[in-house]
Amino acid sequence: MSLRIATFNVENLMNRFDFSGFRNELRQDRSLQLYEIRTKEEYRQLEQARAIAHTDDTRQLTALAIADSAADILCLQEVDNLDALKAFEYGYLFKMIGRGYIHKYMVDGNDGRGIDVAVMMREETRDGQPIEFQDMTSHAHLTYADLDLFNDAIAETNQPHDSVFRRDCLEIDVKVGGRPLTLYVVHFKSMGSPRNGMDGRTATMAVRSAEAAAVRRLIENRFGKDKTASKRWIVCGDMNDYQERVLISGDRFNGYTFEPVVEETSAIDVFTADGFAENVVQRRPALDRWTLFHTRGPQERHLCQLDYLLLSPSLAERNASRVPEIIRAGQPFRTLFPEGQAAERYPRTGWDRPKASDHCPVAMTLDMV
């Protein structure tokens, strides 16, 4: 009996317009920056037209990437609300794969833009085993004080009674063929821009490390420290941090070089340093673990893993021969691939957009023994 699970940051699956770019140029789409826009009403009309024009191709590509993941349970990040998810599933996914993700779960979290984590699941696995929803718990309300995670590093930017999770940690219990499985679906704080003399990743590391520690604390409190390793659970989602990168140098005329580099520290270490969980993507070759292409121009380019399926020790051991897949056919043509990895892009994929997402889905088939 097997289960196919995937995680995917679908990048701004919204059903509302964002007009904040009228007063904040950093949030204004680059296409609108080409034009002189005099009034707020004029900006609203142009932004609505722009968003609608871009959405259809983008969501077709998003749906293609999800269809290729072939997941029985799909963990998503950056979903606006259930209405947006239902409209996407019916208008795009259903037309590709037919009757599929009947059940959808999410709760409003803490994100200031209103993007949340969500889960969609089939009624049964590909091999016909029932998937039964048991329970769902949001942990968006938890504070640093609640979990005793407030420290000097957190105090630089937060107060003890601030929320630990920048979005949420959505805990979902299911049974697959009668066997229990618990999912912890997360979307950790983004790295952002450089600040206070530090790069964005370093400046926000303490917050993500606290989020990781909070998830670990929830798991240990749920199952007991001495029993945690023996239970079936997975931490799924966009953790906005990496333990290693593939640095890219060169140019299109002279060719590119790809150099894997291990980071000294990462928020992900909270899960993996002592074997608490396994990052199964590390079963892939070092140059082939990335789920995102980052660039701020030719001087700053790398590939990295931001999207994770972290398996409990018992679940990882039972699936020791399994290797996760990373679906990259929805990446834009600007993404630089190491030799031999280039994917055949979906139709209508652009140089930068449209694209399925800036992230790649990660999918894995698990034996539920």
Side-chain angles (χ1 to χ4, degrees):
M1 180 181 69
S2 64
L3 171 75
R4 180 83 167 171
I5 188 165
T7 185
F8 188 21
N9 181 326
V10 292
E11 191 180 18
N12 298 328
L13 178 56
M14 313 284 274
N15 70 346
R16 56 192 163 86
F17 299 104
D18 180 2
F19 301 118
S20 60
F22 179 69
R23 299 198 180 279
N24 183 354
E25 191 171 299
L26 293 176
R27 300 189 67 171
Q28 186 176 125
D29 188 81
R30 63 176 184 254
S31 62
L32 295 188
Q33 293 175 5
L34 294 170
Y35 298 92
E36 183 180 357
I37 304 172
R38 295 181 178 84
T39 67
K40 184 174 182 178
E41 182 57 32
E42 184 180 3
Y43 178 82
R44 289 172 64 92
Q45 292 174 354
L46 289 170
E47 173 57 24
Q48 287 173 327
R50 182 205 66 80
I52 292 170
H54 288 171
T55 295
D56 188 53
D57 280 343
T58 296
R59 293 312 164 199
Q60 288 188 63
L61 300 176
T62 304
L64 283 166
I66 290 174
D68 278 352
S69 75
D72 302 314
I73 298 178
L74 183 64
C75 304
L76 300 173
Q77 301 85 49
E78 296 200 12
V79 178
D80 194 355
N81 51 51
L82 272 177
D83 287 340
L85 190 57
K86 290 176 181 177
F88 168 69
E89 191 270 336
Y90 177 75
Y92 292 87
L93 269 181
F94 179 79
K95 296 181 185 303
M96 292 182 184
I97 62 176
R99 187 172 183 271
Y101 300 101
I102 303 299
H103 303 292
K104 305 169 184 67
Y105 305 96
M106 67 180 296
V107 176
D108 288 339
N110 299 321
D111 187 85
R113 293 172 53 218
I115 52 174
D116 298 308
V117 298
V119 171
M120 296 199 299
M121 61 181 65
R122 300 177 182 276
E123 293 184 305
E124 59 182 33
T125 65
R126 296 281 178 175
D127 57 8
Q129 296 295 324
I131 302 173
E132 303 169 75
F133 172 83
Q134 300 290 298
D135 197 11
M136 175 175 67
T137 304
S138 166
H139 297 290
H141 63 284
L142 292 176
T143 68
Y144 295 106
D146 289 334
L147 296 174
D148 194 25
L149 291 174
F150 194 74
N151 55 38
D152 290 342
I154 293 296
E156 294 290 328
T157 54
N158 293 272
Q159 300 297 318
H161 295 289
D162 288 340
S163 298
V164 175
F165 295 112
R166 282 303 183 267
R167 281 92 179 184
D168 198 354
C169 173
L170 194 62
E171 180 178 351
I172 292 186
D173 291 300
V174 298
K175 283 189 175 181
V176 182
R179 292 175 170 85
L181 174 67
T182 303
L183 306 176
Y184 295 86
V185 188
V186 301
H187 185 188
F188 288 172
K189 180 172 176 57
S190 60
M191 296 183 217
S193 303
R195 69 202 73 174
N196 301 326
M198 295 181 287
D199 64 83
R201 177 172 180 262
T202 302
T204 54
M205 179 72 72
V207 175
R208 281 190 303 280
S209 295
E211 289 182 291
V215 176
R216 177 165 178 163
R217 187 76 53 83
L218 290 172
I219 296 171
E220 290 174 339
N221 289 346
R222 165 75 184 274
F223 298 111
K225 284 188 177 182
D226 58 335
K227 297 180 180 179
T228 296
S230 65
K231 301 298 183 179
R232 296 186 187 90
W233 50 263
I234 310 173
V235 185
C236 317
D238 174 5
M239 300 188 188
N240 270 317
D241 209 345
Y242 45 80
Q243 293 178 305
E244 56 193 7
R245 289 183 291 167
V246 178
L247 301 181
I248 303 172
S249 56
D251 56 49
R252 62 187 298 181
F253 303 105
N254 300 299
Y256 297 99
T257 60
F258 298 85
E259 178 189 2
V261 175
V262 177
E263 300 296 319
E264 289 187 7
T265 185
S266 168
I268 311 305
D269 298 342
V270 173
F271 295 113
T272 62
D274 60 354
F276 176 78
E278 182 183 343
N279 172 17
V280 288
V281 167
Q282 290 197 333
R283 297 178 181 182
R284 299 174 64 90
L287 287 177
D288 198 17
R289 298 168 182 166
W290 60 274
T291 66
L292 180 132
F293 170 61
H294 168 84
T295 180
R296 293 186 187 274
Q299 304 307 314
E300 186 180 337
R301 294 179 302 204
H302 65 251
L303 301 165
C304 62
Q305 181 192 358
L306 296 186
D307 305 274
Y308 294 83
L309 295 174
L310 300 176
L311 271 58
S312 70
S314 64
L315 200 55
E317 183 179 356
R318 293 185 180 110
N319 290 275
S321 63
R322 298 281 192 178
V323 178
E325 297 174 35
I326 302 173
I327 293 94
R328 301 187 177 120
Q331 283 288 290
F333 281 93
R334 68 179 175 86
T335 300
L336 301 174
F337 286 74
E339 185 176 357
Q341 290 185 25
E344 182 178 351
R345 306 307 209 283
Y346 300 133
R348 296 180 66 82
T349 299
W351 180 83
D352 178 56
R353 61 188 184 194
K355 58 183 180 292
S357 172
D358 50 346
H359 294 248
C360 301
V362 180
M364 188 175 186
T365 300
L366 299 172
D367 293 319
M368 294 293 292
V369 294

